[in-house]
Amino acid sequence: MSWVSEYEYTWLERTIMRALRACAHIPHHVAFVMDGNRRFARSQHIDKIEGHSMGFAKLADCLRWCLDIGIREVTTFAFSIENFKRSSEEVEGLFNLAREKFSKLLDETDRLNEYGIRIRVIGNIELLPLDLQKLIALAMLRTEHNDKLFLNVAFSYTSRDEITQAVKTVLELGEEGHLTGEDISERLLEECMYTRHSPPPDLVFRTSGESRLSDFMMWQLSNSVLYFTNVLWPQITIWNFFASILAFQRDRYQLNELKRSERINASHLAKTTNFYSERVQGFLQTMDTNRRELLLKLSVST
């Protein structure tokens, strides 16, 4: 199964998609909480891992829909750090599925480059098996120059851990970069997140009837439209996807006002702190360099 499906649209689906695009108010960044794979597996009397595999197939459809409707960035919550608490059999099964899918990605890198898709894995990947870390690093490096659609895969991720790691980065690298107490600000901490180079999601789409965020991107979702549906993730259709876009378009006026206020506030905070100082910008450049060097190191590990 490819990372981007060859979805065949009906005439009506193409017409609706053109109508939504004609409104010129398509979200730039959509985050998917892909919930319900295990419940789907139970309902179909199949193995849990088969349910997760079918969930990946649905993600491939979603990426096709996002590409065709004009969404530029997608984030998926694939594996929470909390998932390590599941049975060892299920966790290893999920890792094997990830190995299979990232290996497939590497086999079809040319296709992803043709679509302009850049893969970024956000999360504490050092908690993962070394061979999986290597596959992830290779996937990120081989697509790092693409810029048509950014796919952020939240793997070994929770928002609490992301914030904790950001604080650790400031403490550890800051000491090396000689940051002062006056340099530390909300804007600096935000730039140390895994999502440093991504705008906040405009729309969050969660399946399975749960109306909670489950420790997902809590820092970034203050002004996002939240869309919840009772449908299990492997069962969603393009009509559920269209409904979420309509929900975003309905709420966009209020959202735009909130985002405008947030941008003004962020700009003011940055200007009234040392964020644009040579010292802080040098620290951020060092952080980016270190993160890329880690990927390079992992990509050649044995």
Side-chain angles (χ1 to χ4, degrees):
M1 171 62 68
S2 172
W3 279 68
V4 181
S5 75
E6 296 293 345
Y7 186 84
E8 295 186 4
Y9 296 96
T10 66
W11 174 86
L12 182 57
E13 290 169 350
R14 289 189 181 277
T15 301
I16 297 298
M17 182 170 285
R18 283 196 295 267
L20 290 172
R21 292 183 64 178
C23 293
H25 300 298
I26 299 299
H28 178 93
H29 184 182
V30 177
F32 292 100
V33 182
M34 305 182 295
D35 195 19
N37 291 335
R38 294 198 299 172
R39 271 174 280 174
F40 174 78
R42 285 196 296 270
S43 72
Q44 301 298 308
H45 307 290
I46 59 177
D47 187 75
K48 291 177 183 177
I49 297 304
E50 181 63 22
H52 289 298
S53 182
M54 294 179 72
F56 176 83
K58 188 57 62 175
L59 173 61
D61 283 342
C62 283
L63 290 180
R64 165 55 64 190
W65 303 336
C66 289
L67 270 171
D68 292 343
I69 206 169
I71 291 166
R72 293 293 307 279
E73 187 153 358
V74 174
T75 298
T76 66
F77 199 5
F79 185 87
S80 169
I81 289 175
E82 294 297 312
N83 292 155
F84 281 108
K85 297 177 182 178
R86 295 181 179 178
S87 69
S88 57
E89 179 184 3
E90 183 175 359
V91 171
E92 187 59 30
L94 288 168
F95 287 165
N96 287 336
L97 182 61
R99 291 181 179 104
E100 175 191 335
K101 300 310 178 184
F102 279 105
S103 295
K104 175 66 175 177
L105 183 151
L106 295 175
D107 290 339
E108 63 175 18
T109 300
D110 289 344
R111 187 163 182 259
L112 292 177
N113 291 341
E114 179 183 345
Y115 286 128
I117 297 175
R118 179 175 181 177
I119 305 295
R120 295 188 291 211
V121 176
I122 60 173
N124 194 342
I125 64 173
E126 292 180 272
L127 298 177
L128 301 172
L130 286 175
D131 64 321
L132 186 50
Q133 291 183 44
K134 180 176 182 177
L135 290 171
I136 287 170
L138 286 168
M140 294 175 68
L141 290 169
R142 290 188 186 179
T143 62
E144 66 179 338
H145 298 298
N146 297 335
D147 61 3
K148 184 175 181 181
L149 186 143
F150 297 91
L151 173 59
N152 308 310
V153 181
F155 205 96
S156 187
Y157 173 92
T158 63
S159 187
R160 285 172 296 174
D161 182 71
E162 178 179 34
I163 295 169
T164 300
Q165 296 304 319
V167 172
K168 287 179 67 176
T169 297
V170 170
L171 292 175
E172 294 171 3
L173 276 183
E175 188 173 284
E176 298 175 16
H178 307 294
L179 289 180
T180 68
E182 293 180 350
D183 294 330
I184 299 174
S185 64
E186 178 182 322
R187 178 66 185 276
L188 174 62
L189 191 60
E190 183 172 68
E191 293 295 318
C192 293
M193 301 286 179
Y194 298 132
T195 54
R196 160 164 161 72
H197 297 292
S198 296
D202 302 299
L203 171 66
V204 180
F205 183 121
R206 177 164 188 162
T207 52
S208 84
E210 299 290 348
S211 53
R212 53 191 172 85
L213 296 174
S214 301
D215 208 358
F216 177 58
M217 300 186 81
M218 300 299 292
W219 182 283
Q220 297 89 346
L221 300 183
S222 59
N223 292 323
S224 303
V225 172
L226 305 180
Y227 180 79
F228 302 108
T229 178
N230 291 328
V231 180
L232 302 178
W233 175 256
Q235 294 176 311
I236 68 167
T237 69
I238 194 170
W239 298 103
N240 302 118
F241 176 73
F242 286 159
S244 71
I245 301 300
L246 282 170
F248 169 79
Q249 293 180 343
R250 179 193 63 202
D251 295 340
R252 71 177 179 83
Y253 291 106
Q254 181 180 4
L255 178 69
N256 287 345
E257 187 62 34
L258 288 170
K259 287 195 170 186
R260 187 159 37 246
S261 174
E262 188 177 69
R263 283 195 299 269
I264 293 171
N265 184 53
S267 177
H268 174 73
L269 285 174
K271 290 178 180 177
T272 56
T273 65
N274 294 339
F275 180 74
Y276 290 114
S277 69
E278 183 176 338
R279 183 170 57 245
V280 171
Q281 293 302 306
F283 162 82
L284 292 173
Q285 289 176 9
T286 299
M287 180 187 71
D288 284 341
T289 299
N290 288 353
R291 287 180 175 180
R292 190 172 188 279
E293 287 178 350
L294 174 61
L295 293 179
L296 290 169
K297 179 181 177 181
L298 291 173
S299 70
V300 296
S301 61
T302 57

